[in-house]
Amino acid sequence: MKIAVIGQSLFGQEVYSHLRKDGHEIVGVFTVPDKDGKADPLGLEAEKDGVRVFKFPRWRAKGQALPDVVAKYQALGAELNVLPFCSQFIPMEVINAPRHGSIIYHPSLLPRHRGASAINWTLIHGDKKGGFTIFWADDGLDTGDLLLQKECEVLPDDTVSTLYNRFLFPEGVKGMVQAVRLIAQGKAPRHPQPEEGATYEGIQKKETAKINWAQSAEDIHNWIRGNDKVPGAWTEACGQKLTFFNSTLNTAGLMPEGDALPIPEAHRPGVVTKAGLILFGNDDRMLLVKNIQLEDGKMIPAANFFRGADSSALELTEAEQATAEAVRSAWKRILPNVPEVEDATDFFKSGAASVDVVRLVEEVKELCGGLELENEDIYMATAFGDFIQLLVRRLRGEDGESECVIDHVEKSVNKMTVQMPHQLFIGGAFVDAEGAKTYDTINPTDGSVICQVSLAQVSDVDKAVAAAKDAFENGQWGKISARDRGRLLYRLADLMEQHQEELATIEALDAGAVYTLALKTHVGMSIQTFRYFAGWCDKIQGSTIPINQARPNRNLTLTRKEPIGVCGIVIPWNYPLMMLAWKTAACLAAGNTVVIKPAQVTPLTALKFAELTLKAGIPKGVVNILPGSGSLVGQRLSDHPDVRKIGFTGSTEVGKHIMKSCALSNVKKVSLELGGKSPLLIFADCDLNKAVQMGVSSVFFNKGENCIAAGRLFVEDSIHDQFVQRVVEEVRKMKIGNPLDRDTNHGPQNHQAHLRKLLEYCQRGVTEGATLVCGGKQVPRPGFFFEPTVFTDVEDHMFIAKEESFGPVMIISRFANGDIDGVLSRANATEFGLASGVFTRDLSKALYISDKLDAGTVFVNTYNKTDVAAPFGGFKQSGFGKDLGEAALNEYLRIKTVTFEY
């Protein structure tokens, strides 16, 4: 058929395009004149196709058709007029001119809701069914005969936009095309509209959209959603006109606790909560409003109503700045009358209409790798600068909910004010533990309470695992590219570096770490670890494998390395942040999500790390942190059926228990870094100065609270006495004191129970006959300080020769001159195999010994030299699996084999 399309908007454009695909000849398109230099989408599309386009400002004057307009229309010889969406009054001379007449789309089930605001009134009246009608056009009163109707369910929280986008637009386009087919086939019905149930409502305007508070919560909700987005339901409060959007009756679990918002004429004051603004109907039921538009036009999350403006603007990377400029160009295309798009340029005040919102969403999708914004996002950030901030947050993986509220504990210390979160971190929010349970975390320097920390319960573990699982299966983390994941981890490392002094100070307060060491090692190596694994994100790859062909066909086999899923990570108290980084960086680089249980005695840097993940844009639920007891939190993680991997650093005894639980629950993948009793062999041909220096460091580094500390030094007989003398001289030079003092090099032990264990350990050494050369006692001052200690004449059968002290206790034994194999046999006579070392100038001897030592790491003429690129892990009862290096990634990946036949 020869068809004239009369109308406008994207809906009109889609109907036009589908009619052309159906083989109809579009003889002309009649649309509205350009507005602010912008052509309507229907006209633009038709012009591209070479179809004649007419843009009449009006079709009639003083109730009479304009002859020249009618003449131009009649010259086309249309057989049918299709009016998909038309805001102009079309004279009956045009409506009745074609052989088949005219059909028009209306977004309600006529005769209900005649008029231009039909969708609004469908929602305002709380209709359970909605839909559209295609009818034979009349004189503009929506009373023509019915041709086709389709209905849909109206959902409780539908707005004009959601109902339109879900059903009325896509199904309406199909319905218009179907109606034209029926006409072409001569099968189109004409059913007179019944008058029973007919309603006619006027156009909703801003002045008529004021909320009437003398009604139920459901009626208020319907009024708000029925006016969302245009014209917007409003009320007066706090001296200004507030417009409410995004309303819901789903308030299950919400408590009206927060700041009161007095509203004149309302049954009760509103309450601003973390979830949004709670309002009340005259039936005392609640509804929740999530967004508020202020009188100046700015849209804000309702939860932020009483907060000041957010001054923490994101700093854009070079790539993000390039994206911002590309989006700026898109704004210029949409807003041709704006000479320059600046940060303050307002999208709507510059002439954008609702159709431009859809266009901007599509432009962003094309420019930003498929990122899907909601129309809502544009209304929430109408100024260009605000829009770019919102866009970058989405690109970084944030979900656009209101800013996380953090209840910091603040301490003025180390010439700065440190801010420390103290609650559980679950699903991107800091929350109290079940039952508001807490415990005290202690400063080992003086035994004082730093703050109260939330104590996670079993139910909290379940919540955290559920958040991690949802983030893995449904969140942005699994959808973004590996390269984008790497960018987020680089950004996290940058933030850790920006906060390194604060992190090191917290580590000194909570763990007793010497500040200068914490800055270099605890924090410094953590930053390096995240940067290293950020670089691995887009280099995790499988392989193609030649296999026997299934002749006469062929085969292709490939492997894929995939993330495991939800991982549980349990970390110790000696390096709270660094141990977190060693495991978490590899885990996240591989694409997993994680629930971390920091040591109960040192939770604060882990919680500060959680805050930095939010600032970095790590999506909510990817990282969850639960301070609490190992017997409760660690056990539940080991038992949980949705956790697929456990990474643990701690004692061998607990590691065995975790391994058993992981096997019995769901055969979890496990990696364990357990106890050690690392031997250090010092030969007479060594560089003695270096051996003394490194020997002291091998034991007393980080107060001896070091998993790879040299648990036993074997010194060749000919240099034994000289070595001991030199070591004691170095030990007596150590400055014991406040870990925040810059000249301190030996701080307090981590916690009181560990101090007691060290006292008992040394007493047992003395009782068994070892020689206590120095130390062995608690330092007489507040806090948990222990003297650096040296034992000699330690024989192989003694307790201190076999068991780890995990403190500043040097255990020295002699070995006979030249007895290489003998000392190797003694060094390996332990169930531990974490690290080891040898000092000698003889390269052949060093190579032979490094080959024979039964440990995961062997240091030659050095000690404690770990690096983020070098794999780290033990043998025997020191565990299995690796941290650091490429090998660590394999702990958090699974390999899938895929075989094709063709």
Side-chain angles (χ1 to χ4, degrees):
M1 282 190 297
K2 293 182 177 181
I3 296 175
V5 177
I6 305 173
Q8 63 206 73
S9 79
L10 286 171
F11 185 77
Q13 174 192 322
E14 284 295 303
V15 171
Y16 158 83
S17 298
H18 280 74
L19 290 176
R20 275 177 55 86
K21 289 178 183 175
D22 241 23
H24 300 290
E25 179 186 353
I26 309 300
V27 295
V29 165
F30 297 83
T31 189
V32 293
D34 295 356
K35 182 180 179 182
D36 297 327
K38 293 183 296 179
D40 184 82
L42 171 58
L44 277 174
E45 190 71 15
E47 285 173 347
K48 288 180 187 176
D49 295 332
V51 174
R52 293 187 67 182
V53 176
F54 302 86
K55 301 179 181 181
F56 300 139
R58 55 185 178 172
W59 291 73
R60 60 185 186 178
K62 297 181 180 180
Q64 301 296 315
L66 297 174
D68 58 329
V69 171
V70 174
K72 289 179 181 177
Y73 163 77
Q74 290 176 335
L76 300 175
E79 298 173 308
L80 174 69
N81 292 332
V82 175
L83 287 73
F85 172 73
C86 184
S87 62
Q88 295 177 311
F89 283 102
I90 309 302
M92 294 306 292
E93 291 88 337
V94 173
I95 294 294
N96 294 329
R99 176 162 62 96
H100 294 293
S102 302
I103 60 170
I104 188 167
Y105 170 91
H106 186 80
S108 78
L109 296 173
L110 292 174
R112 189 160 173 80
H113 306 311
R114 294 168 177 165
S117 296
I119 312 176
N120 304 76
W121 288 104
T122 298
L123 298 169
I124 290 169
H125 283 282
D127 292 358
K128 304 303 180 186
K129 295 289 183 182
F132 63 85
T133 301
I134 297 165
F135 67 99
W136 298 95
D138 59 359
D139 56 0
L141 298 177
D142 302 334
T143 57
D145 292 343
L146 306 179
L147 190 160
L148 181 150
Q149 287 188 317
K150 289 190 178 181
E151 69 174 37
C152 69
E153 180 184 4
V154 178
L155 302 179
D157 288 340
D158 264 333
T159 63
V160 173
S161 296
T162 61
L163 183 56
Y164 184 71
N165 292 333
R166 187 181 77 251
F167 184 83
L168 298 176
F169 184 105
E171 295 302 319
V173 171
K174 296 175 186 176
M176 288 296 284
V177 175
Q178 181 184 351
V180 173
R181 287 174 184 164
L182 290 172
I183 294 169
Q185 296 164 2
K187 298 179 181 179
R190 287 177 178 266
H191 301 298
Q193 285 195 38
E195 282 306 310
E196 184 180 352
T199 62
Y200 182 92
E201 295 96 357
I203 298 175
Q204 275 300 88
K205 298 179 181 179
K206 193 70 176 181
E207 56 267 26
T208 62
K210 186 176 181 180
I211 299 170
N212 171 17
W213 294 101
Q215 52 187 339
S216 69
E218 184 174 0
D219 289 337
I220 294 171
H221 164 65
N222 288 336
W223 183 262
I224 293 172
R225 69 187 182 124
N227 286 281
D228 185 342
K229 281 289 187 265
V230 178
W234 59 277
T235 193
E236 292 176 345
C238 294
Q240 63 174 313
K241 185 182 289 184
L242 302 179
T243 306
F244 297 148
F245 299 99
N246 202 349
S247 169
T248 179
L249 289 172
N250 183 12
T251 57
L254 285 181
M255 298 295 293
E257 298 173 351
D259 298 319
L261 175 63
I263 301 173
E265 303 176 8
H267 180 64
R268 287 171 57 180
V271 181
V272 176
T273 71
K274 291 180 181 181
L277 171 63
I278 292 178
L279 301 171
F280 298 89
N282 62 6
D283 57 354
D284 273 328
R285 288 188 61 204
M286 298 190 301
L287 63 145
L288 180 71
V289 167
K290 296 182 181 177
N291 298 318
I292 299 176
Q293 187 177 43
L294 306 179
E295 196 161 14
D296 62 5
K298 182 176 178 61
M299 188 87 77
I300 63 169
N304 293 353
F305 182 75
F306 286 117
R307 295 186 207 164
D310 183 11
S311 59
S312 57
L314 296 177
E315 184 175 338
L316 272 57
T317 64
E318 189 174 326
E320 289 165 347
Q321 288 170 352
T323 299
E325 289 310 308
V327 174
R328 192 189 303 273
S329 297
W331 276 49
K332 288 179 181 178
R333 291 192 294 272
I334 296 171
L335 307 171
N337 289 338
V338 177
E340 193 63 41
V341 174
E342 300 175 343
D343 282 355
T345 300
D346 188 279
F347 192 65
F348 296 105
K349 292 177 182 178
S350 300
S354 57
V355 66
D356 299 309
V357 173
V358 178
R359 180 179 171 187
L360 181 55
V361 168
E362 291 304 312
E363 290 257 17
V364 167
K365 186 175 181 180
E366 188 172 326
L367 290 170
C368 300
L371 177 70
E372 294 191 10
L373 294 181
E374 301 290 338
N375 293 1
E376 177 86 12
D377 295 321
I378 285 81
Y379 289 105
M380 288 293 291
T382 59
F384 179 76
D386 294 339
F387 181 74
I388 290 300
Q389 289 283 310
L390 179 145
L391 178 63
V392 169
R393 290 182 191 280
R394 293 292 193 281
L395 288 170
R396 293 183 181 184
E398 296 183 9
D399 64 6
E401 294 179 6
S402 57
E403 180 186 356
C404 178
V405 178
I406 305 175
D407 180 23
H408 288 108
V409 172
E410 294 191 352
K411 296 279 185 183
S412 294
V413 63
N414 200 24
K415 299 180 181 179
M416 69 180 76
T417 299
V418 295
Q419 294 185 316
M420 298 174 288
H422 62 98
Q423 296 166 290
L424 312 183
F425 185 67
I426 300 175
F430 286 96
V431 296
D432 289 337
E434 181 74 24
K437 292 185 181 296
T438 62
Y439 69 97
D440 294 337
T441 187
I442 304 299
N443 183 344
T445 300
D446 58 12
S448 64
V449 175
I450 302 171
C451 64
Q452 288 191 325
V453 177
S454 293
L455 182 67
Q457 305 299 300
V458 168
S459 60
D460 297 310
V461 180
D462 293 343
K463 292 173 188 174
V465 171
K469 184 180 180 184
D470 184 62
F472 181 77
E473 295 179 351
N474 305 312
Q476 286 294 317
W477 190 243
K479 298 174 184 175
I480 61 175
S481 69
R483 196 157 296 163
D484 287 338
R485 189 164 67 243
R487 277 200 289 265
L488 288 173
L489 295 185
Y490 275 124
R491 188 175 296 118
L492 177 57
D494 291 343
L495 281 165
M496 292 170 71
E497 188 169 55
Q498 291 169 26
H499 289 263
Q500 60 184 336
E501 289 86 1
E502 185 178 22
L503 287 166
T505 301
I506 296 172
E507 204 85 321
L509 284 176
D510 203 28
V514 172
Y515 175 75
T516 50
L517 176 66
L519 204 57
K520 176 180 182 295
T521 302
H522 292 236
V523 179
M525 193 172 188
S526 300
I527 296 166
Q528 292 175 27
T529 303
F530 271 98
R531 286 202 173 121
Y532 174 80
F533 283 107
W536 267 110
C537 287
D538 60 355
K539 301 169 188 69
I540 299 171
Q541 54 196 13
S543 58
T544 56
I545 303 170
I547 66 170
N548 289 335
Q549 306 293 340
R551 297 177 181 176
N553 293 340
R554 299 177 65 81
N555 293 100
L556 171 66
T557 292
L558 56 88
T559 59
R560 295 180 51 173
K561 291 185 177 180
E562 300 179 339
I564 295 170
V566 179
C567 299
I569 289 178
V570 183
I571 54 177
W573 43 258
N574 58 327
Y575 294 104
L577 184 64
M578 192 172 79
M579 292 296 99
L580 179 152
W582 279 22
K583 287 176 165 50
T584 304
C587 176
L588 296 180
N592 301 286
T593 57
V594 66
V595 180
I596 301 168
K597 194 207 87 65
Q600 187 170 350
V601 292
T602 54
L604 295 181
T605 43
L607 293 172
K608 188 67 182 181
F609 169 82
E611 179 184 347
L612 297 182
T613 67
L614 283 179
K615 291 185 176 182
I618 304 294
K620 296 176 181 180
V622 171
V623 174
N624 305 271
I625 297 183
L626 302 177
S629 72
S631 59
L632 210 65
V633 178
Q635 184 64 55
R636 179 56 181 156
L637 283 173
S638 300
D639 291 338
H640 203 292
D642 290 332
V643 175
R644 294 296 171 185
K645 160 72 197 268
I646 291 288
F648 172 75
T649 295
S651 72
T652 297
E653 180 184 2
V654 174
K656 289 178 179 179
H657 186 76
I658 285 175
M659 193 172 175
K660 180 179 179 180
S661 296
C662 289
L664 292 175
S665 57
N666 59 347
V667 196
K668 290 176 180 65
K669 189 172 183 178
V670 187
S671 55
L672 303 172
E673 195 248 282
L674 306 176
K677 187 67 175 174
S678 302
L680 175 58
L681 283 53
I682 299 176
F683 287 88
D685 61 354
C686 70
D687 177 337
L688 188 59
N689 289 333
K690 188 173 184 180
V692 169
Q693 175 194 352
M694 288 291 179
V696 169
S697 175
S698 74
V699 174
F700 300 112
F701 188 82
N702 197 47
K703 311 164 291 173
E705 296 169 354
N706 187 19
C707 51
I708 58 171
R712 191 177 181 193
L713 278 67
F714 294 91
V715 182
E716 197 162 8
D717 193 64
S718 62
I719 61 167
H720 175 273
D721 293 347
Q722 185 182 4
F723 178 84
V724 171
Q725 178 188 345
R726 295 276 300 273
V727 162
V728 172
E729 289 172 359
E730 293 301 314
V731 167
R732 285 175 175 157
K733 293 177 186 176
M734 289 184 183
K735 168 70 185 317
I736 302 172
N738 189 323
L740 290 171
D741 292 343
R742 300 306 189 264
D743 59 346
T744 293
N745 47 34
H746 189 84
Q749 305 309 135
N750 188 277
H751 51 280
Q752 191 168 42
H754 184 51
L755 174 65
R756 293 195 190 106
K757 177 187 168 186
L758 290 174
L759 290 167
E760 293 169 2
Y761 184 92
C762 291
Q763 183 58 48
R764 186 157 181 179
V766 171
T767 300
E768 289 187 341
T771 301
L772 178 63
V773 178
C774 64
K777 299 188 296 295
Q778 181 176 354
V779 179
R781 58 175 289 166
F784 311 138
F785 291 86
F786 187 77
E787 294 177 343
T789 299
V790 178
F791 276 102
T792 60
D793 303 320
V794 178
E795 298 179 13
D796 295 354
H797 68 275
M798 293 180 179
F799 175 83
I800 63 173
K802 296 184 289 185
E803 297 297 327
E804 181 181 29
S805 71
F806 211 67
V809 181
M810 181 178 283
I811 307 297
I812 302 176
S813 298
R814 298 172 181 264
F815 69 92
N817 293 332
D819 187 10
I820 297 175
D821 289 327
V823 73
L824 275 171
S825 177
R826 295 171 68 193
N828 285 332
T830 173
E831 273 298 301
F832 300 110
L834 190 57
S836 59
V838 56
F839 278 84
T840 176
R841 285 192 173 97
D842 186 330
L843 181 58
S844 296
K845 186 191 297 182
L847 287 170
Y848 176 78
I849 291 171
S850 66
D851 184 52
K852 295 295 184 180
L853 282 170
D854 198 7
T857 296
V858 180
F859 298 109
V860 178
N861 294 328
T862 188
Y863 208 87
N864 286 327
K865 181 58 180 172
T866 54
D867 188 90
V868 295
F872 177 90
F875 295 166
K876 299 185 286 189
Q877 290 196 44
S878 287
F880 52 84
K882 296 295 181 182
D883 290 326
L884 304 180
E886 181 183 1
L889 288 169
N890 295 326
E891 303 297 331
Y892 299 95
L893 292 166
R894 63 185 186 185
I895 296 177
K896 177 183 287 182
T897 302
V898 182
T899 297
F900 297 86
E901 189 165 315
Y902 57 97

